[in-house]
Amino acid sequence: MVLYFQLIYLVLYLIPLTNTILDDDILYDIKWQPELPALTELDNSHTFTSTRKENYQCVLPKTETTIPTSTETIAFSEVETLLEGLHAKKLCAYRLDPYWTYELCHGVHIRQYHDTKVAGQKSLLQEYYLGYYHSDNQDIQTTSDGKQVFKIHYKTIDNKKTPMLAVRYSGGTLCDINSNQPRETIVYYVCDERGNDVVLNFEEISTCYYEMTVASRWLCKLPAFSPAEPNRYSVNCYPKENARQKPRNLKKLEDERQMSLKKGGRAQFTMTSADGTTFIIAYQYASDVDLDELTETVTNKVTPSTITEHIGTPNDQQVRQHPMGNLGTDVDRDFLEGFLSGRECLPGGSGWWKYEICYGKHVIQFHEEGQHRTSILLGTWNRDKHIEWLNTNPKKRLAGNIRDRQFVSLYYTDGDICELTKTRRVVEVKLRCSKNAEKSHATSMYLVEPETCSYVMGVESSLFCNLIDYTDEYGIPDREKLMKRFQQQQQQQQTPEQ
């Protein structure tokens, strides 16, 4: 095994010394030959010795430098026939995100929608069209000799320059936050011999302007879009003297891997759904002893000490003291105090749009590009309007049973005007218990838009698991009571046992 890695290192080290260009696009295979050819001069060979003193003479390949070329355009007639064939099938592909569903009907439209189903009521459909296909609104250019050509776009995928066919879908639903300009999407088709016209990626690259990547096998019919075959060379190694065909440590390693796949090892297989989505399922074999240990580990995480009950108070009531994660730590106290005081704002989001909540102040959605910042006010805090919202929506009040209380809902109103509804934006902020004791002060956030310009923001942390116990009748956290609880718990931890 040691020789195997040493050999790889030395091969990579010596190849440049033998007038060979080392390139990431060139693949090298090590082939262990049974015996050294008799009376044959081996050019460009080197001798390697394993830790067990086994000697091998390896011949390094000679490669030639190649300069990759790329085609900038392709005849429109070649592309037109394939696109017409795709559009004639009237196929639609779907991409499922946690909230939104994206629908690509090839040659027709791209739609973003969410269907809210309420028991006993008619479902509510929220949808936006991200563009329609127009054959006369594509990247078709005319050359000096009067020929129509399609521009070939290139993107880097897996560190390789990949040719793509760009098809525009324009004239979608008007975007109120982009001067009422229609939404537009560019669909990038990429050659994939196993592709079934499924959506690989979707991204909003700027306000209401989107890009979608689709894997298609029909595009591979055009050489200009076929991925370049990697150069592959062999490093032939011959045993010398009394060495075996393969080093003993390497053979042992390969045998162990084979055994691990048969018993107690990892493996994987693939499954393809009806819409062409491929899932890679990874699994690991385990013995009965391993399963018993795993069950014991999970069970031991829940112990009687997590909830302590004191029975027999003056009013004969039960008083429960719930753990507050690591509330005795300075980090947890400072986090909650900074957040609930509004001094520390929490940002979230990883896409083009990001969002931020400053508790007791406002919730915004923003995008930063260089020194320019586009910001949309989703809502501001007003205690009276929050109470009015609770009275109108009594189901939003805290549940009576403390065991059912998993989150606090706070209503932020009077955001920026929404062009589609002509009303101000609003957002419901949910401070939810995530029960993550190992990372008590870690938070996760999400923002969804169940109705036009009406949002729901979730902020999850294990520190919020006891927040409900320190709220008033309107579900508004009492910061002073919570900080007092911190102090009491800290004093209890510092008081020595009698």
Side-chain angles (χ1 to χ4, degrees):
M1 182 170 62
V2 175
L3 171 65
Y4 180 67
F5 293 109
Q6 286 180 339
L7 182 57
I8 292 177
Y9 174 78
L10 287 172
V11 167
L12 296 179
Y13 179 76
L14 289 173
I15 283 177
L17 302 181
T18 59
N19 297 321
T20 302
I21 300 299
L22 185 61
D23 194 323
D24 289 339
D25 292 332
I26 301 177
L27 304 179
Y28 297 90
D29 295 324
I30 299 179
K31 294 185 177 181
W32 302 95
Q33 304 296 343
E35 60 183 8
L36 188 68
L39 303 175
T40 301
E41 287 286 338
L42 298 178
D43 295 333
N44 198 25
S45 65
H46 300 267
T47 300
F48 300 92
T49 304
S50 71
T51 55
R52 293 195 176 197
K53 307 302 180 183
E54 301 161 304
N55 294 321
Y56 294 87
Q57 190 169 353
C58 298
V59 181
L60 306 185
K62 292 182 179 180
T63 62
E64 296 181 358
T65 304
T66 58
I67 301 176
T69 60
S70 58
T71 305
E72 298 299 327
T73 60
I74 186 172
F76 174 68
S77 58
E78 296 185 52
V79 176
E80 184 181 26
T81 303
L82 294 178
L83 280 179
E84 288 177 350
L86 172 66
H87 297 167
K89 296 178 182 178
K90 298 182 179 180
L91 298 176
C92 294
Y94 296 85
R95 176 183 175 87
L96 304 180
D97 277 358
Y99 184 80
W100 293 106
T101 298
Y102 298 92
E103 176 187 72
L104 166 62
C105 293
H106 301 279
V108 183
H109 66 248
I110 299 174
R111 182 169 67 115
Q112 172 186 2
Y113 67 91
H114 175 75
D115 194 3
T116 303
K117 300 183 183 297
V118 182
Q121 299 181 22
K122 185 179 179 180
S123 62
L124 301 176
L125 179 64
Q126 181 185 4
E127 65 179 357
Y128 302 95
Y129 282 87
L130 307 186
Y132 298 89
Y133 176 77
H134 301 282
S135 59
D136 57 352
N137 189 22
Q138 303 301 322
D139 270 344
I140 303 175
Q141 303 172 356
T142 303
T143 62
S144 57
D145 55 358
K147 294 182 179 180
Q148 287 189 319
V149 295
F150 229 122
K151 180 181 178 181
I152 299 178
H153 294 256
Y154 289 88
K155 285 182 175 290
T156 301
I157 299 180
D158 294 333
N159 296 321
K160 292 186 177 181
K161 188 178 179 181
T162 305
M164 294 183 173
L165 177 66
V167 178
R168 178 180 291 107
Y169 286 70
S170 57
T173 304
L174 298 182
C175 180
D176 63 308
I177 57 177
N178 189 24
S179 304
N180 278 332
Q181 294 297 311
R183 288 171 165 83
E184 183 173 311
T185 304
I186 300 296
V187 177
Y188 289 100
Y189 290 95
V190 60
C191 163
D192 186 342
E193 294 291 353
R194 296 170 297 176
N196 195 25
D197 298 316
V198 297
V199 179
L200 296 179
N201 185 50
F202 178 84
E203 183 179 4
E204 183 176 8
I205 60 173
S206 62
T207 305
C208 297
Y209 187 84
Y210 313 88
E211 286 186 356
M212 181 179 285
T213 306
V214 177
S216 303
R217 66 168 65 96
W218 56 264
L219 191 62
C220 301
K221 296 178 181 179
L222 300 176
F225 295 96
S226 298
E229 291 294 330
N231 297 317
R232 185 179 291 272
Y233 295 92
S234 296
V235 177
N236 291 296
C237 291
Y238 302 90
K240 296 181 64 176
E241 300 152 359
N242 294 325
R244 300 183 181 183
Q245 181 176 351
K246 283 187 179 181
R248 282 178 287 179
N249 283 349
L250 175 60
K251 187 67 169 61
K252 180 181 178 182
L253 175 63
E254 292 176 343
D255 292 342
E256 289 175 352
R257 286 178 177 174
Q258 283 292 104
M259 290 298 295
S260 70
L261 291 177
K262 295 179 180 179
K263 181 180 179 180
R266 295 179 181 272
Q268 68 181 34
F269 62 92
T270 60
M271 294 179 62
T272 303
S273 63
D275 65 351
T277 304
T278 299
F279 301 88
I280 299 177
I281 312 298
Y283 62 93
Q284 180 177 5
Y285 291 100
S287 63
D288 293 337
V289 176
D290 296 329
L291 293 177
D292 291 339
E293 291 178 354
L294 178 62
T295 304
E296 183 179 356
T297 301
V298 174
T299 304
N300 288 339
K301 288 185 178 180
V302 182
T303 63
S305 62
T306 56
I307 298 179
T308 59
E309 297 185 353
H310 300 279
I311 304 176
T313 61
N315 295 325
D316 200 25
Q317 297 176 344
Q318 294 182 353
V319 178
R320 294 181 176 87
Q321 292 184 350
H322 301 270
M324 304 178 74
N326 296 327
L327 284 186
T329 66
D330 293 336
V331 173
D332 295 341
R333 183 186 66 248
D334 291 345
F335 166 77
L336 271 182
E337 188 174 17
F339 174 66
L340 295 178
S341 66
R343 294 196 313 267
E344 300 290 339
C345 300
L346 289 182
S350 57
W352 198 83
W353 280 109
K354 295 179 174 58
Y355 41 85
E356 179 182 75
I357 175 174
C358 296
Y359 178 84
K361 295 180 180 179
H362 61 253
V363 178
I364 63 171
Q365 187 178 34
F366 66 93
H367 170 71
E368 292 180 338
E369 192 166 347
Q371 296 182 349
H372 178 70
R373 176 173 173 136
T374 303
S375 181
I376 301 174
L377 180 64
L378 304 185
T380 57
W381 173 247
N382 184 298
R383 178 185 175 89
D384 293 337
K385 291 190 176 182
H386 167 77
I387 296 174
E388 180 182 345
W389 173 72
L390 281 182
N391 292 334
T392 307
N393 302 272
K395 291 184 179 180
K396 296 293 184 179
R397 290 182 176 272
L398 294 177
N401 189 345
I402 191 172
R403 296 180 183 271
D404 296 333
R405 299 178 178 180
Q406 295 297 320
F407 64 88
V408 171
S409 282
L410 302 168
Y411 199 57
Y412 286 62
T413 59
D414 295 328
D416 287 341
I417 292 289
C418 176
E419 293 294 334
L420 294 178
T421 62
K422 305 303 180 184
T423 59
R424 291 191 174 274
R425 290 172 165 83
V426 294
V427 56
E428 177 186 357
V429 176
K430 293 184 177 181
L431 305 181
R432 184 181 294 274
C433 163
S434 67
K435 297 183 179 180
N436 187 351
E438 294 181 358
K439 297 180 179 179
S440 62
H441 59 280
T443 59
S444 61
M445 300 174 63
Y446 64 86
L447 180 70
V448 295
E449 188 179 3
E451 298 178 12
T452 305
C453 296
S454 178
Y455 309 85
V456 175
M457 170 177 280
V459 186
E460 300 182 353
S461 172
S462 62
L463 288 181
F464 297 149
C465 293
N466 293 91
L467 190 62
I468 300 116
D469 299 335
Y470 301 91
T471 57
D472 61 18
E473 58 181 312
Y474 303 111
I476 303 173
D478 190 323
R479 183 169 60 92
E480 293 184 1
K481 287 185 179 180
L482 187 60
M483 293 303 107
K484 185 176 181 181
R485 173 69 180 118
F486 267 114
Q487 295 175 356
Q488 292 175 348
Q489 186 178 18
Q490 200 167 33
Q491 291 173 358
Q492 291 173 0
Q493 292 174 349
Q494 293 175 354
T495 302
E497 297 183 358
Q498 300 296 330

